[in-house]
Amino acid sequence: MKTQAQVVVIGGGVVGASVLYHLTLAGWTDVMMVERRELTHGSTWHSAGGMHTLNGDPNVAALQRYTVELYDKIQAESGRDCGIHMTGGLQLADTPERMDYLRMAHARGRYLGMETELVSPKEAHELVPFLDPKYFVGAMYDKHEGHVDPSGVTHAYAECAQARGAEINKYVWVHDITRTADGTWNLHVHDTRKNEDLGMINCEHFVNAGGLWAREVGRMTGLELPILAMEHMYLITEEVPQLTEWRQSSKMAGFHVVDLGGEIYMREEGNSLLLGTYERKGVPWAPHQTDWNFGAQLLTPDLERIGDNLEVGFNHFPIFQEIGIKDTINGPFTFAPDGNPLIGPVKGQPGHWLACGVMAGLSQGGGVGLSMANWMTEGDPGFDVWGMDNARFGDWATPRYTNSKVRENYGRRFRITFPNEELPDAREHMKSPIHDRLDSHNAVWGASYGLEVALWFQTQGKAEETVTFRRSNAFDVVAEEVAAVRHGVGMFETTGYAKYEVTGTGARAWLNGLLTNNIPAPGRLALTPMLNHQGKIIGDFTVGCLADALGDERFMIFGSGAAQQYHERWFREQLRASSSAGAVAGAGTRATGDGVSLRVCGNELTGLSIAGPSARKVLDELTDFNVSNDAFGFLDFRQTWVGSVPCMVGRVTFTGDLGYEIWCAASFQQQLFDTLSEAGRPHGLRLFGLRALDSMRLDKGWGSWGTEYRPIYNPFEANMGWMVRLGDQAKGDFIGRDAAAAAKEAGPQRKLVLFEMDAGTGDEAADCIGNEPIWHDGPDGNTVVGWVTSGGYAHHSEKSIAMGYVPAEHAASDGPWEIEVVGVMRTATRLAEAPFDPSGSRMRS
């Protein structure tokens, strides 16, 4: 066994083997795997082996398709039988709402290039006669579904990696991990077969692909990963004689069925049938500590626990009433709180990578391995993996929070989560100081990055929203909130924004090399993207500069709250890279480089925003400085007092209207809220929530982080080129500059376009939510050319708005355009400018 390597992968399941394989495919051959026992001896060996491409996140769905299509390649290369059965699969809907979900999935598949087809219950029954069509209203057939042999796949990955130079060591247990002075890692290892110490393996990188033990591996470096194992059961029947007859008459090579209403899956297993379920009251396994002695073992079945699901399954698939059960498999596998994997680099620990929590390892393992290898060798995953990036969780994802959300997510594995649905478990985990005040105004709550955020304020009745793919009971109230802002003044809580403070003698120079726009002078704000080295958008910020009497500058950066840890990780990496001493920034809230100090303000810095034509009158009553447009203009920024509260005030809002963002310490937020409420009462001040804010940014045609602005787009595609100072000599170099210049020279391949859509009327009215296909009628007929990134109803302009990317050659076309929304083709019109105040005069006056 080598004692030094460039990369060590910890864990020999299908995910670890995929990462190892893809690293060698990318050209890194000084790589090794260490596995505590035999390959697959965690969750992989007892997996049902199902694989499918359907996923609510189209970016994850694309990687799942890559995984499925990879199996033929590794089977041929390794000579190892992967047990590939490309059977095709059915997703069954038993209600109109679930059928709408399938229509939306089918629509997403159009621009992902997937081969899906909507079929009737009768057609579904003709494909798979073991289901009873009377229980269903429709189905979706997906050509790219089936099952594989988990052991065969894992060994195929491993053998392909070994053929390219990777080393695999079994019965080697990593029992401790330490950091060296030069920034590399020492993995302390033990021979579990001979029970003897093996010393250390030194490496530049290590990958935690520990599966059931990923939590314990994380703890060796001080991490508490938000993952938890759940018991999962499936049944295998006695042999089914009817299968032989079906095979003789069917055109299908097999079948895989997911029953959304029954929350079960079913497929053939040799000459038997396999039936699995995700029961609503799932049981965590080893919730506090995973036993290192646990191996290729199964858990005691508990059929009573899944009795309700089995009753549904036996009704929906009557064949199970005719045959006996041969085996019951109960084994653990890990979940993250939202069901997606945890991958990518660890904040504050360079060289430490995660590839764990991959619940659907046979569907996602290939895509995870490819993304990880790209990330490690090229510095970028090469795909939009935000839905899997471990940075989507912060330190607030505590073990009890994780336990609650994982159990909730497990029980919803095959249930629809509506786009406006807020799940109830582990709520009120984090609250701002004014939570009770907003609650008293009948706030309808959501959660973002663990924090409770007000979505809208119900005017009467219980504060809850009807879940739907169309328009909910929030629609009319949100319209009133928007009107209050556009015609008077409204107030919104901004505590959920991410906030960072950057200080020190080198702060301005460091930010200048990090962000694309000019860094503001003292007393000013600037809007700016941030790019990665490939010239793609990884951030969208407002930056403010304050200076004290001695001229020392302090910079405040405001961004998307959901991306706080994602951006903090990037900031720390760049601080480390810019530090001449090579100092390693810690994992706390403050990091330092040469003359630069970064502090993550988190929820200790709270905020409120007032917006609308009367906002200036409210602020004027509470400040001692001149708030006229000439004295405190658009994008001005200053430290002052609002009433008795020490604050930072910026002349900017995301509403597109006259407005201010006001920031104060958490200890002052209640007082600030009361002060603004009292001063605003004569002006008709009204609280508004996130839904109204989103409606108003659609009025302006503004994109947002996580939708229009993501790491797969460059700033010229996203209409942000005006904030990228390529030719400004005073600006100098910045990360991604050369790549951005090349992208500008080449011209965009696609462009972000604004549409008005005919959303329909009455109960059938439906606005875009994102990921709908955009159709264009050109010389080749009506074809899918792009996809919607976000949409909704812009109440002030009374338009259903959609934003999305289309090929650059179509970006100026007047169509005809259509957007497919919940299975209905709807006419769309390209808008050349924003519906509301395209000149920006309202926010500047």
Side-chain angles (χ1 to χ4, degrees):
M1 182 183 74
K2 296 193 296 188
T3 58
Q4 192 161 8
Q6 186 178 13
V7 184
V8 177
V9 177
I10 301 174
V14 68
V15 174
S18 173
V19 172
L20 192 74
Y21 163 76
H22 282 93
L23 283 170
T24 62
L25 203 63
W28 281 17
T29 56
D30 183 18
V31 296
M32 62 188 295
M33 172 191 285
V34 291
E35 161 56 42
R36 188 181 49 89
R37 291 196 175 182
E38 292 282 349
L39 302 188
T40 78
H41 275 202
S43 297
T44 301
W45 77 274
H46 62 72
S47 167
M51 55 180 182
H52 57 273
T53 56
L54 183 66
N55 190 285
D57 183 333
N59 302 291
V60 176
L63 288 172
Q64 289 182 186
R65 178 168 181 176
Y66 166 81
T67 301
V68 171
E69 294 177 345
L70 180 63
Y71 290 138
D72 282 331
K73 179 180 178 181
I74 63 171
Q75 178 173 265
E77 184 178 332
S78 67
R80 171 77 68 158
D81 183 6
C82 293
I84 304 169
H85 295 81
M86 289 302 299
T87 63
L90 284 172
Q91 303 270 342
L92 299 170
D94 63 333
T95 66
E97 291 77 16
R98 292 189 175 103
M99 195 62 215
D100 280 345
Y101 170 78
L102 293 181
R103 290 188 183 99
M104 295 168 71
H106 174 61
R108 285 197 302 270
R110 294 188 196 276
Y111 67 80
L112 292 172
M114 295 180 179
E115 299 176 73
T116 62
E117 180 184 356
L118 298 177
V119 299
S120 68
K122 180 177 180 293
E123 291 170 317
H125 180 255
E126 290 171 354
L127 292 170
V128 182
F130 307 113
L131 63 87
D132 187 341
K134 74 181 181 184
Y135 290 105
F136 305 104
V137 299
M140 184 179 76
Y141 173 75
D142 185 351
K143 182 179 178 180
H144 295 274
E145 286 196 13
H147 60 276
V148 290
D149 171 23
S151 178
V153 167
T154 304
H155 283 89
Y157 279 134
E159 289 164 17
C160 289
Q162 284 178 304
R164 292 190 179 88
E167 179 179 303
I168 295 177
N169 297 281
K170 296 182 286 187
Y171 293 93
V172 175
W173 171 38
V174 177
H175 62 87
D176 196 16
I177 301 172
T178 54
R179 189 78 180 278
T180 67
D182 64 2
T184 59
W185 296 91
N186 283 334
L187 311 184
H188 302 255
V189 291
H190 189 86
D191 188 318
T192 58
R193 188 157 38 189
K194 297 179 181 179
N195 193 25
E196 63 182 32
D197 183 65
L198 296 176
M200 295 182 296
I201 304 170
N202 179 258
C203 57
E204 182 181 349
H205 304 272
F206 76 92
V207 180
N208 179 355
L212 294 175
W213 295 269
R215 179 180 51 187
E216 282 66 34
V217 173
R219 287 169 179 166
M220 295 176 193
T221 69
L223 293 180
E224 187 64 40
L225 295 177
I227 52 176
L228 178 70
M230 297 289 291
E231 294 187 16
H232 179 68
M233 283 181 278
Y234 62 87
L235 315 176
I236 298 176
T237 70
E238 302 286 355
E239 290 196 1
V240 182
Q242 294 92 326
L243 276 173
T244 301
E245 180 183 346
W246 176 82
R247 287 178 179 134
Q248 291 173 347
S249 61
S250 176
K251 297 179 182 179
M252 296 178 67
F255 58 84
H256 184 275
V257 176
V258 170
D259 177 357
L260 297 175
E263 299 173 346
I264 53 181
Y265 59 91
M266 187 266 285
R267 68 168 174 81
E268 57 178 339
E269 173 67 15
N271 291 319
S272 302
L273 293 175
L274 182 152
L275 175 72
T277 183
Y278 291 83
E279 68 275 20
R280 296 195 180 187
K281 295 184 179 179
V283 174
W285 178 78
H288 304 295
Q289 182 80 31
T290 306
D291 186 350
W292 287 107
N293 294 316
F294 187 82
Q297 301 162 243
L298 291 174
L299 309 176
T300 302
D302 182 4
L303 291 179
E304 185 176 339
R305 194 172 77 230
I306 62 173
D308 291 345
N309 298 74
L310 292 181
E311 183 178 354
V312 173
F314 282 33
N315 286 330
H316 288 191
F317 305 97
I319 187 70
F320 288 100
Q321 300 175 24
E322 304 174 22
I323 51 178
I325 303 300
K326 180 174 64 175
D327 292 310
T328 301
I329 309 300
N330 185 16
F333 61 103
T334 55
F335 273 81
D338 59 2
N340 277 344
L342 294 177
I343 73 170
V346 173
K347 178 195 72 175
Q349 298 188 9
H352 181 177
W353 300 79
L354 300 180
C356 51
V358 188
M359 178 276 304
L362 278 305
S363 291
Q364 299 176 340
V368 166
L370 175 63
S371 301
M372 289 288 291
N374 289 341
W375 217 333
M376 297 174 75
T377 62
E378 302 292 337
D380 184 82
F383 303 92
D384 191 340
V385 297
W386 170 249
M388 298 191 288
D389 193 327
N390 71 90
R392 68 190 188 276
F393 296 108
D395 295 339
W396 48 267
T398 60
R400 289 197 177 192
Y401 172 90
T402 298
N403 187 297
S404 180
K405 296 303 288 186
V406 165
R407 285 187 287 114
E408 178 183 56
N409 184 275
Y410 180 89
R412 297 182 62 92
R413 177 79 175 100
F414 290 142
R415 293 176 66 187
I416 296 172
T417 298
F418 289 90
N420 67 329
E421 186 174 5
E422 298 291 330
L423 302 184
D425 285 15
R427 293 300 298 274
E428 298 197 357
H429 185 58
M430 288 195 297
K431 299 187 292 185
S432 73
I434 62 169
H435 181 275
D436 289 348
R437 283 165 167 75
L438 300 182
D439 208 42
S440 69
H441 285 80
N442 227 12
V444 178
W445 294 99
S448 177
Y449 201 62
L451 179 71
E452 293 293 300
V453 294
L455 302 176
W456 55 287
F457 293 86
Q458 178 62 282
T459 52
Q460 56 185 344
K462 188 176 181 180
E464 63 181 7
E465 185 167 356
T466 54
V467 295
T468 178
F469 288 122
R470 294 173 173 80
R471 291 173 178 171
S472 76
N473 59 322
F475 187 82
D476 292 338
V477 180
V478 171
E480 293 172 5
E481 293 178 9
V482 169
V485 175
R486 291 288 188 240
H487 300 294
V489 59
M491 183 162 63
F492 173 78
E493 185 182 18
T494 57
T495 302
Y497 292 7
K499 291 90 57 182
Y500 317 88
E501 180 188 65
V502 182
T503 55
T505 56
R508 176 174 288 275
W510 181 70
L511 287 173
N512 216 27
L514 190 71
L515 305 172
T516 69
N517 205 350
N518 291 322
I519 305 305
R524 291 288 290 165
L525 296 163
L527 310 177
T528 176
M530 181 168 69
L531 307 180
N532 61 16
H533 294 283
Q534 291 75 28
K536 300 298 177 67
I537 303 166
I538 59 170
D540 172 38
F541 301 108
T542 302
V543 181
C545 179
L546 298 169
D548 63 18
L550 299 178
D552 291 333
E553 294 182 326
R554 176 163 64 108
F555 296 92
M556 299 302 303
I557 304 176
F558 305 101
S560 169
Q564 176 180 299
Q565 184 151 301
Y566 175 83
H567 289 134
E568 180 190 355
R569 182 178 66 194
W570 179 260
F571 293 155
R572 291 183 187 281
E573 289 172 359
Q574 306 320 310
L575 277 176
R576 189 177 301 107
S578 65
S579 175
S580 60
V584 177
T589 59
R590 185 179 291 275
T592 58
D594 278 354
V596 183
S597 179
L598 167 73
R599 184 172 70 92
V600 181
C601 301
N603 295 332
E604 68 188 62
L605 181 63
T606 60
L608 289 164
S609 175
I610 54 173
S614 296
R616 180 179 287 118
K617 297 175 183 177
V618 176
L619 187 64
D620 186 43
E621 296 179 17
L622 300 172
T623 59
D624 294 330
F625 69 93
N626 186 349
V627 298
S628 68
N629 194 47
D630 291 337
F632 193 55
F634 181 59
L635 295 182
D636 277 352
F637 187 51
R638 68 184 298 164
Q639 193 149 5
T640 185
W641 294 267
V642 175
S644 299
V645 178
C647 296
M648 293 178 290
V649 181
R651 171 81 186 277
V652 67
T653 77
F654 201 41
T655 65
D657 223 311
L658 168 67
Y660 309 88
E661 290 179 358
I662 306 170
W663 304 96
C664 69
S667 55
F668 283 107
Q669 193 192 23
Q670 291 182 352
Q671 184 182 162
L672 179 63
F673 178 88
D674 294 342
T675 298
L676 289 170
S677 297
E678 182 65 27
R681 189 170 292 114
H683 304 285
L685 182 143
R686 178 167 177 165
L687 296 174
F688 68 96
L690 195 60
R691 297 280 166 76
L693 184 69
D694 198 50
S695 175
M696 287 184 277
R697 68 102 180 169
L698 291 172
D699 255 337
K700 292 289 294 179
W702 284 345
S704 65
W705 169 256
T707 53
E708 289 68 42
Y709 309 144
R710 296 183 75 145
I712 55 174
Y713 309 123
N714 72 49
F716 306 101
E717 294 172 328
N719 303 324
M720 302 177 81
W722 64 278
M723 292 184 283
V724 181
R725 305 296 182 182
L726 294 176
D728 192 334
Q729 292 185 349
K731 169 68 176 174
D733 197 15
F734 54 85
I735 292 173
R737 184 187 184 282
D738 291 345
K744 183 179 182 180
E745 176 69 22
Q749 293 185 334
R750 55 194 170 192
K751 288 285 287 183
L752 181 61
V753 176
L754 186 68
F755 294 97
E756 176 186 358
M757 187 187 71
D758 180 2
T761 59
D763 293 340
E764 292 305 307
D767 305 296
C768 288
I769 58 173
N771 299 319
E772 294 88 355
I774 301 172
W775 297 72
H776 181 263
D777 195 358
D780 298 324
N782 200 22
T783 57
V784 174
V785 297
W787 60 94
V788 172
T789 47
S790 68
Y793 195 77
H795 286 278
H796 180 74
S797 57
E798 298 182 334
K799 297 180 186 298
S800 184
I801 296 294
M803 303 180 71
Y805 283 89
V806 302
E809 62 267 26
H810 296 319
S813 170
D814 289 328
W817 295 95
E818 289 182 295
I819 299 175
E820 187 175 358
V821 182
V822 197
V824 177
M825 301 291 284
R826 300 176 185 269
T827 302
T829 303
R830 182 184 64 85
L831 299 178
E833 62 181 16
F836 172 72
D837 189 29
S839 68
S841 60
R842 290 269 293 239
M843 59 187 181
R844 289 179 170 85
S845 59

